[in-house]
Amino acid sequence: MAHELRTPLASIKEGTNLLLKGIGEEFKEKRQEVLTIIAEESNRLTDLVNSLLDLSKMEVGMITLNFETSDIKP
């Protein structure tokens, strides 16, 4: 599943990065702003996929969890 999600995300991210670096200098300001948002959202999706993978590893015991008691102040 991770491969299936990461591959298109990587393509979207790299294509967006190329556009942001100036391929097609005729970009209008608003279009540049939208491309920046797309790049940020691609990063967000990648982080979400990584979090899901970490959760999956925790569920199957591949990650050791160390719990400790602490005082949480209001």
Side-chain angles (χ1 to χ4, degrees), residues 1-49:
M1 180 174 121
H3 175 68
E4 296 300 320
L5 292 172
R6 283 184 178 177
T7 300
L9 285 173
S11 297
I12 292 167
K13 187 174 177 180
E14 191 56 38
T16 303
N17 286 335
L18 289 172
L19 292 170
L20 287 170
K21 287 180 181 176
I23 295 194
E25 293 288 329
E26 67 281 350
F27 289 134
K28 294 181 180 179
E29 185 178 319
K30 192 67 172 173
R31 190 169 180 190
Q32 188 74 19
E33 187 178 319
V34 171
L35 288 171
T36 301
I37 292 168
I38 291 169
E40 290 169 354
E41 291 303 311
S42 294
N43 289 334
R44 183 173 170 223
L45 287 171
T46 300
D47 290 342
L48 288 171
V49 169

Side-chain angles (χ1 to χ4, degrees), residues 44-63:
R44 183 173 170 223
L45 287 171
T46 300
D47 290 342
L48 288 171
V49 169
N50 289 334
S51 293
L52 287 171
L53 289 171
D54 288 343
L55 179 61
S56 177
K57 289 176 185 177
M58 283 184 234
E59 289 177 344
V60 297
M62 291 176 64
I63 294 177

